[in-house]
C-alpha cells in the first residue's frame, strides 16, 4: 500500500494519527532548523515537516529532493502553529519519520504552478506536465462532471445511450470527411463520422424513442481559430415529438447542468425568431448579456441630401450608453478604422454624441439638431450617450454592425463570462438560395422539416415562396455562441421528395447519397427530431475559458497537429503497400 | 403533442381516462364485430379496440392498416374482459375514438417479432428493422445500463473520465493500425488508437490519479470469428497502487455490475496463477463453471511398454463423470476424430471406462486392470466414469486437452450461460521467447512490471532466468473468456531500460517508438497500473448472447463490412487527389 490518505484528506480531527502519504514535491522551504515541503497530488497539498535537530539525516535527505520528485512519507499528523485557512488541509502538517523516493524528476521545462512561466507552445509539447497544474486539471475534472450530469439527466428522462459506428461511409455533401483506407478491400475507404446524424435517425425508425450519445466526431476542415479536427458532441434524438417537446427537454438539460455544475438556477430561456435576431443583433447567435439593439433609420435619415444614406439599402445603428465622453475625435477615428478593416469591411462609421455641450455628429452638416434629436429619441438616447450608425447593403451592414456591437459590449465591460444568458433562436429559413451554383442549399440539413404552417406553401408554392419557407429548426445560443442546434425531421415521403427536388437532387442522386436512410423511411418512420450540443464549446463557456483547447486533454494545434506525440507522421512503405496506396506529388 | 402516454404505461388505475397513444401497428385480429390491434413502442404493447357496430368508418380504417404502420389514436382506457397477465398493460385496452395514420409502411422483409423469419444476412442488411424487435432492443438497453453502472461505480470511486484523442500516431509494434491520411500534411497519416494505453499512462504522470474511459478502439486485424474492427473498452489506470489495489477495485466493479444488472451477488473471486491455469485447465482463461481438472500421469503410465506414452513429454487426462455409459466404441471413435481435426491436432485419444462390467480401455493390452484402477483413483474416478487421456509435447497436449475438456463440459451440460464464475489469473510470464525471431516479446506490453520479488533476478540474471520471470500482470476471466486484463507498469528508469534491452530495442529504437512516453517518465512518474475491460465481450457474456454482434447496434460482418450502409466504399478521385494518394494495384 503506497498511501493511507491522499494529500487533500487530512483535517484537524486526524491529529495524532500515523499516516502514509505519497505525491509530488511541489515546494520546499527552510525556516530555522525546520524544512517544510508541500506534497501535492490531485486531491490537494499537505505540508510535511522535517526537523534538523531531531532527525538530521532525514532532514538532509528532504533538503536534497528536487522539484517534482515522487516521494512517499510516513509520519504523524500534527497541528500547525501557523494555519493556512486557504487550504483544506491547512490546519495540519505531517511530522515525517520516514521518507522514500519513489521516482526522481528532471527539472521540468516550466514550473508546475497555476501561474506558470511556460508559453503555450512549450506547454503543449509537454502537455503531460501542463496537465499536472491544478487549474488545468480542474478544467478536465469539470468536463468529467459535466458528462456525468449530462448522462444522469438524459438517462433519467428515458434516453438510451447507443454507440454508433466510427468506421462508416463517406458522403460527398457537407464538410470534408476524414477517410480510412481498407486493407482488406483495396481502393475502398471507410469515413469517420462528422456526426451520427443518419444513425440516430435510423434508431428512431428502429423505435428507440429517445437516443443520446456523448461521442467524438470528425471534420477535415481547413483549420480556423479554435476548431479541432476531432470534437465531442452530445447527440440526441426523440420520436413522437414536436419542436416544443425538444425545446423543453433540452432547456431542462441545460438548466440541470448549470444548477449542478455552477450552482446557478437559470430562469426560463427567452426565445427569438431568426428574423428578429438578424434585425436586432445582426447575428443568428445574439449575445443578449447586454442590449444595444439595432434601430433601423431609413425612414428618418433618407431624403435629406446625405447621399451615403440616401443610396443605402439600410441605415442602422445602436445607442452606446454613456459613451459620448469616452470617444474623442481621435477615438472615433480609430473606431472607424476598426470597422473598415477587411475582417469587418464597413465603408465608414457615423456617430452622434449627445453631450452637455450639445449634439455632435460626423453628419452634422447634413442634419439639423432637431433631426439628430429625433434619431436619439428613436433609439432611447439620453445626454452622455452616443449613436453608432452604419449603412449600405442590408445583409452586410447588419453583420458589420453586429461585430461593432460586440466590440462595444466588450469595451464597455458588458460581457462578463460568469453572466450566463441562454437563448433559443427559432424559425430558421428552410432553404438558402445560392446565387453562385443557382440552387437551394439546406440551411440545416436535407431532412429538416418545414414548419407545419409552411407545408402547403412548400408543396404548392412558386420559387419566391420557397425562399420564405421557415423550418422547425432551432439553435441554443449562450453568450453569443451556438452551443446546440437541431431540427424536427421530415418523416413524410411526399415532403421529402419535394425537398430533394428543391435541393436539386435527382431521384438517383438522392438514392445514392441517402439510400439506406430513404430505404429505412419506407418502413414506418415515426415523427422525430433532435439536437446536438457542442460539448467542448459548452464546457469552455461554462468555465469562462478562452479556447476549447483548454478543456481538451490532448488538443491539436491550429494546423491539426499534436505536437506532443508528433502526429500526423509518415508511415512505413510496407504498411502503405498493404493498403495498396501510393503517395503522389 | 403526439401522445399523452407511451404504450407501456397504462394500468387498471387509468380506467376511464381519455388518452392519446402513438406507435407501430404490430398485430391486428378480428373477433366478431370487433377489431383488436396491438400498438407497439419501446415501452410496451397496448391493445386497441375498434367496434364495427358503433363506429363502422373508424373500424374499417383500422382494418385497412398494414403491419408497421405508424399511427396515433385517441380513446378511453377500459378494462379488458380477457386479461393478459403476461403483459404489463394486460388489464386494459383502449376504446378508440379517433385514428390517424402518421406514416405508412411497406411490408417489412421479415416479421418484427422476437421469433422472426429473417436470416442473419437479411436482418443485418435491414438492421434498423431488426433493431425494432423487442428482444434485440433489450440487448442494447442492457448495454446502455451497463455503461451507466460502470460509470456510476468508477466515478463514485474518484475516477475521472478523460477523453483521449482518436487521431494519434501509428506505432509499428503490436497489431496493425488503421490509418487516416492527412490532407494538410501530404504523405503523413494519423492512426486510430488500438487502445489509449500511452495516454492513460501520461495522465498518471500528469497526476490524474484515477482515470477511466469507455472508449472505442480500433484494430486492423484479419477478421476472425466474432472480432470487430472497432470495439469498446472500459479503460482504467490508477496511481500509487500495487496489484492488490487494482484487483480489489475492479473485482468491486464487476460485483457492482452483476448486482445492479443481474441481481446476482458474486462471492469473492478465486485467484489462480498462470502456471496453475495452464497445468490444470490447459488454458490461461479457464472455465471454472465445472471441474474436470487435468491430472498428469507420466509417473504411473511410463515404463510399461506402451511406446506412445513412453515417448511422450506429457501424458495428461481428466475424468468425465458418469460418461462411461454414454460413449460406445463408435462414439469414442467420433470423439477421437474430433480431437484429430486440424483445429485441435491431437494424434490420438486414450480412454478408460469404469463400468459395472469391468474396466474398458483403448490401452487395455498394455496395462493391467490394477494399473488402470490406479489411474482412476488418482483422478477420482468411480464406477460409471470415463478417463480421457492425451499425450505428446507438453504445451500442445495441454492445449488439446483444454479444448477437449470444454467440448465435454458443453456436451455434459456444465456450461450454463446464466452460471457466472469469474476468476483472476495472476503471475503471467513477463517475457515470451520467440524461437523464430530469436528474441523476447513482451507478454503483456513493454511497460509491464516484473513482480517485486523478480526485480533482482531481472536486473542480474542470465538468459534462462529471464524466461522464468513473472509479471504483475492479471486477467479477469469469466466463464472461459478474458473480460479484462492489465498490469502494474514499470515506473523506474533502470528497470525500463533493462526491459527494452531484453526486448531487443536499441536506445534509438525505444526513443523513436515510445519517445514522448519515455520523455514524460523523466519528470516524476508515479507508481501506477491499470486494466482494460472488453465492454462488448462483458456485455455479451452477461446476457448469455452468442456473439458480440448481438450487443452492437450497427456491427460489421466477418469481412469488416457494414452491409447496411455498404462501407467501406470507393471515394471520388478529387478527394483522393486532395490527399495526394493513388490506389495502386
Amino acid at each position: 500500500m503506497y498511501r493511507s490518505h491522499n494529500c487533500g484528506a487530512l483535517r484537524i480531527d486526524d491529529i495524532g494519527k500515523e499516516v502514509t502519504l505519497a505525491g509530488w514535491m511541489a515546494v520546499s522551504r527552510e525556516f530555522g532548523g525546520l524544512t517544510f515541503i508541500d506534497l501535492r497530488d490531485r486531491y490537494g497539498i499537505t505540508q510535511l515537516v522535517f526537523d534538523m535537530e531531531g532527525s538530521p539525516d532525514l532532514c538532509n535527505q528532504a533538503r536534497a529532493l528536487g522539484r517534482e520528485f515522487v516521494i512517499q512519507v510516513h509520519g504523524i499528523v500534527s497541528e500547525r502553529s501557523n494555519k493556512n485557512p486557504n487550504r483544506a488541509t491547512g490546519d495540519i502538517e505531517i511530522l515525517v519519520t520516514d521518507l522514500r523516493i519513489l521516482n526522481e524528476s528532471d527539472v521540468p521545462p516550466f514550473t508546475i504552478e497555476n501561474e506558470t512561466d511556460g508559453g503555450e507552445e512549450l506547454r503543449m509539447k509537454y502537455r503531460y506536465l501542463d496537465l499536472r497544474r491544478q487549474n488545468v486539471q480542474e478544467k478536465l475534472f469539470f468536463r468529467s462532471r459535466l458528462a456525468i450530469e449530462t448522462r444522469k439527466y438524459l438517462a433519467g428522462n428515458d434516453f438510451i445511450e447507443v454507440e454508433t459506428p466510427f468506421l462508416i461511409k463517406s458522403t460527398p455533401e457537407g464538410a470534408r470527411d476524414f477517410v480510412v483506407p481498407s486493407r482488406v478491400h483495396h481502393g475502398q475507404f471507410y469515413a469517420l463520422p462528422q456526426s451520427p446524424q443518419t444513425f440516430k435517425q435510423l434508431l428512431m425508425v428502429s423505435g428507440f424513442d429517445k437516443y443520446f450519445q456523448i461521442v467524438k466526431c470528425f471534420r477535415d476542415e481547413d483549420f480556423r481559430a479554435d476548431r479541432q479536427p476531432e470534437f465531442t458532441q452530445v447527440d440526441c434524438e426523440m420520436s413522437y415529438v414536436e419542436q416544443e417537446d425538444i425545446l423543453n427537454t433540452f432547456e431542462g438539460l441545460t438548466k440541470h447542468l448549470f444548477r449542478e455544475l455552477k450552482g446557478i438556477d437559470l430562469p426560463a430561456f427567452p426565445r427569438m425568431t431568426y428574423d428578429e435576431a438578424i434585425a436586432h443583433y445582426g447575428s443568428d447567435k445574439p449575445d443578449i448579456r447586454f442590449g444595444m439593439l439595432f434601430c433601423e433609420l431609413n425612414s428618418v435619415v433618407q431624403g435629406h441630401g446625405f447621399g451615403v444614406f440616401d443610396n443605402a439599402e439600410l441605415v442602422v445603428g445602436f445607442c452606446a450608453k454613456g459613451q459620448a465622453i469616452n470617444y474623442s475625435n481621435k477615438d472615433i477615428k480609430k473606431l472607424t478604422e476598426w470597422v473598415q478593416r477587411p475582417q469587418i469591411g464597413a465603408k465608414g462609421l457615423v456617430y452622434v454624441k449627445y453631450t452637455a455641450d450639445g449634439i455632435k455628429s460626423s453628419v452634422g452638416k447634413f442634419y439639423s439638431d432637431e433631426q439628430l434629436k429625433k434619431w436619439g429619441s428613436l433609439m432611447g438616447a439620453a445626454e452622455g450617450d452616443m449613436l453608432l450608425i452604419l449603412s449600405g447593403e442590408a445583409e452586410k451592414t447588419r453583420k458589420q454592425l453586429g461585430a461593432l456591437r460586440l466590440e462595444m459590449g466588450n469595451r464597455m465591460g458588458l460581457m462578463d463570462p460568469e453572466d450566463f444568458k441562454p437563448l433559443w433562436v427559432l424559425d430558421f429559413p428552410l432553404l438558402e438560395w445560392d446565387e453562385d451554383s443557382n440552387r437551394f442549399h439546406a440551411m440545416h440539413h436535407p431532412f429538416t422539416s418545414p414548419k407545419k404552417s409552411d407545408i402547403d406553401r412548400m408543396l404548392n408554392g412558386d420559387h419566391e415562396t420557397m425562399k420564405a419557407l421557415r423550418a422547425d429548426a432551432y439553435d441554443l445560443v449562450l453568450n453569443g455562441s451556438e452551443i446546440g442546434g437541431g431540427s424536427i425531421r421530415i418523416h413524410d415521403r411526399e415532403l421529402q421528395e419535394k425537398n430533394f427536388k428543391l435541393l436539386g437532387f435527382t431521384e438517383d442522386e438522392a438514392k445514392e447519397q441517402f439510400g439506406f436512410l430513404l430505404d429505412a423511411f419506407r418502413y414506418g418512420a415515426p415523427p422525430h427530431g433532435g439536437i446536438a450540443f457542442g460539448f467542448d464549446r459548452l464546457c469552455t463557456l461554462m468555465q469562462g475559458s478562452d479556447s476549447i483547447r483548454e478543456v481538451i486533454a490532448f488538443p491539436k494545434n491550429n494546423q491539426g497537429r499534436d505536437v506532443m506525440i508528433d502526429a500526423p507522421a509518415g508511415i512505413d512503405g510496407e504498411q502503405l503497400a498493404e493498403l495498396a496506396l501510393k503517395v503522389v506529388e
Side-chain angles (χ1 to χ4, degrees), chain A:
Chain A
M1 204 197 52
Y2 276 103
R3 60 189 176 194
S4 62
H5 297 78
N6 64 47
C7 294
L10 295 168
R11 299 285 184 277
I12 195 102
D13 291 344
D14 297 305
I15 282 172
K17 280 187 190 160
E18 267 193 53
V19 297
T20 306
L21 299 185
W24 286 266
M25 205 297 273
V27 180
S28 164
R29 290 178 306 276
E30 290 175 30
F31 189 75
L34 299 176
T35 294
F36 296 96
I37 282 181
D38 278 356
L39 188 69
R40 182 201 339 103
D41 69 10
R42 182 187 117 192
Y43 309 93
I45 288 176
T46 299
Q47 179 164 293
L48 311 178
V49 196
F50 299 82
D51 178 4
M52 184 56 96
E53 203 165 322
S55 317
D57 286 356
L58 196 63
C59 195
N60 280 323
Q61 216 185 325
R63 286 185 183 183
L65 294 173
R67 279 200 174 216
E68 303 307 322
F69 272 40
V70 184
I71 60 172
Q72 184 184 36
V73 295
H74 191 76
I76 312 287
V77 183
S78 312
E79 184 163 5
R80 271 172 79 161
S81 54
N82 186 13
K83 296 200 173 59
N84 180 348
N86 299 321
R87 198 179 273 178
T89 62
D91 289 347
I92 59 95
E93 61 193 7
I94 311 295
L95 296 181
V96 176
T97 55
D98 197 39
L99 166 65
R100 187 176 147 213
I101 296 177
L102 298 175
N103 218 343
E104 302 191 348
S105 174
D106 287 0
V107 175
F110 49 85
T111 57
I112 311 299
E113 292 169 348
N114 285 359
E115 300 297 323
T116 183
D117 51 354
E120 176 158 6
E121 210 173 320
L122 195 65
R123 287 189 290 107
M124 284 301 134
K125 183 166 163 48
Y126 295 92
R127 179 64 167 166
Y128 44 86
L129 292 178
D130 194 34
L131 285 172
R132 206 184 279 168
R133 295 164 59 218
Q134 197 194 347
N135 54 345
V136 178
Q137 284 191 351
E138 269 165 12
K139 289 186 194 294
L140 276 299
F141 299 166
F142 183 99
R143 184 184 178 114
S144 179
R145 289 204 309 280
L146 192 65
I148 286 172
E149 290 299 334
T150 301
R151 288 194 164 95
K152 195 195 267 183
Y153 177 88
L154 291 173
N157 280 275
D158 284 336
F159 283 79
I160 303 280
E161 187 161 22
V162 181
E163 296 173 55
T164 53
F166 279 77
L167 296 173
I168 64 166
K169 189 178 176 173
S170 191
T171 51
E173 279 285 297
R176 220 182 267 103
D177 289 321
F178 281 107
V179 295
V180 180
S182 163
R183 181 177 52 84
V184 180
H185 310 277
H186 285 171
Q188 300 196 345
F189 295 77
Y190 300 100
L192 298 178
Q194 295 183 32
S195 91
Q197 183 66 36
T198 45
F199 291 97
K200 70 177 176 176
Q201 292 195 244
L202 288 178
L203 287 172
M204 294 304 104
V205 174
S206 299
F208 273 57
D209 208 80
K210 293 179 177 179
Y211 144 91
F212 85 103
Q213 191 181 189
I214 302 185
V215 62
K216 273 282 177 74
C217 300
F218 305 86
R219 208 165 285 177
D220 187 11
E221 287 178 312
D222 292 316
F223 298 105
R224 283 191 274 156
D226 225 18
R227 284 263 187 164
Q228 291 279 314
E230 50 178 307
F231 55 97
T232 303
Q233 204 164 284
V234 182
D235 193 50
C236 308
E237 196 81 4
M238 303 170 77
S239 289
Y240 301 110
V241 289
E242 290 164 339
Q243 173 173 294
E244 193 62 30
D245 301 301
I246 304 256
L247 300 190
N248 289 335
T249 301
F250 294 98
E251 185 163 323
L253 168 64
T254 311
K255 285 179 173 178
H256 173 83
L257 296 178
F258 271 90
R259 193 161 45 235
E260 296 299 322
L261 273 290
K262 304 285 294 181
I264 295 172
D265 267 309
L266 293 173
F269 297 2
R271 299 176 179 194
M272 193 183 289
T273 66
Y274 172 87
D275 288 344
E276 285 173 305
I278 296 293
H280 293 152
Y281 298 89
S283 167
D284 61 359
K285 36 182 188 284
D287 189 333
I288 59 166
R289 280 176 294 183
F290 59 100
M292 301 208 279
L293 271 65
F294 293 5
C295 182
E296 299 190 3
L297 296 168
N298 291 32
S299 62
V300 293
V301 304
Q302 288 183 333
H304 297 278
F306 179 46
V308 172
F309 281 0
D310 287 351
N311 298 325
E313 186 187 353
L314 179 70
V315 181
V316 62
F318 61 79
C319 171
K321 283 277 162 202
Q323 295 306 301
I325 203 169
N326 294 335
Y327 283 81
S328 66
N329 284 350
K330 201 175 141 197
D331 296 326
I332 294 280
K333 194 169 163 247
K334 273 195 193 158
L335 195 61
T336 306
E337 284 162 8
W338 188 89
V339 297
Q340 287 173 332
R341 290 174 316 143
Q343 298 95 311
I344 311 288
K347 294 226 173 66
L349 172 66
V350 167
Y351 74 88
V352 185
K353 293 198 281 193
Y354 302 91
T355 74
D357 299 340
I359 299 176
K360 288 173 190 162
S361 172
S362 43
V363 294
K365 57 182 167 181
F366 297 100
Y367 299 94
S368 67
D369 272 11
E370 212 49 48
Q371 288 171 318
L372 295 177
K373 248 184 214 163
K374 193 175 173 190
W375 302 4
S377 75
L378 277 174
M379 294 165 85
E383 194 180 296
D385 295 351
M386 173 170 73
L387 308 187
L388 294 171
I389 299 167
L390 297 179
S391 63
E393 191 269 305
E395 198 179 317
K396 279 186 193 159
T397 305
R398 285 197 184 97
K399 216 171 187 174
Q400 293 158 359
L401 194 68
L404 180 60
R405 175 181 170 272
L406 290 179
E407 174 67 14
M408 292 302 293
N410 191 25
R411 290 183 184 194
M412 293 162 69
L414 303 172
M415 294 166 78
D416 176 4
E418 287 294 317
D419 178 21
F420 298 99
K421 286 287 175 345
L423 165 76
W424 287 109
V425 178
L426 306 175
D427 301 354
F428 277 77
L430 182 69
L431 304 164
E432 279 180 304
W433 180 251
D434 182 3
E435 294 287 350
D436 294 340
S437 58
N438 203 38
R439 54 169 279 200
F440 281 113
H441 287 291
M443 184 103 171
H444 188 66
H445 74 71
F447 294 93
T448 296
S449 176
K451 296 195 82 64
K452 264 188 192 155
S453 52
D454 277 1
I455 290 180
D456 262 357
R457 292 202 294 156
M458 179 170 171
L459 290 174
N460 306 310
D462 62 11
H463 183 79
E464 283 309 305
T465 309
M466 297 308 148
K467 292 188 184 174
L469 295 174
R470 287 296 175 266
D472 266 344
Y474 30 80
D475 274 359
L476 182 54
V477 172
L478 178 65
N479 294 2
S481 288
E482 180 201 327
I483 55 167
S487 67
I488 298 295
R489 328 298 181 185
I490 298 174
H491 66 278
D492 177 86
R493 286 191 216 176
E494 194 190 354
L495 211 55
Q496 190 61 59
E497 278 165 22
K498 176 72 184 183
N499 204 30
F500 278 134
K501 209 175 279 174
L502 286 172
L503 295 172
F505 287 94
T506 65
E507 218 167 293
D508 281 350
E509 283 167 345
K511 203 168 179 175
E512 198 194 307
Q513 288 186 35
F514 304 103
F516 60 95
L517 190 54
L518 292 177
D519 280 351
F521 276 17
R522 301 163 64 89
Y523 297 103
H528 62 289
I531 195 168
F533 284 79
F535 190 68
D536 306 297
R537 175 76 50 211
L538 176 63
C539 196
T540 305
L541 286 171
M542 285 183 78
Q543 298 196 71
S545 298
D546 293 327
S547 159
I548 59 169
R549 283 199 296 277
E550 296 181 20
V551 301
I552 296 173
F554 300 101
K556 297 195 169 47
N557 74 7
N558 285 341
Q559 280 74 48
R561 180 166 286 284
D562 184 326
V563 295
M564 181 187 72
I565 64 172
D566 191 28
I571 56 173
D572 73 29
E574 202 180 316
Q575 201 172 356
L576 217 49
E578 278 192 323
L579 299 169
L581 287 178
K582 207 177 132 181
V583 176
V584 288
E585 210 165 24

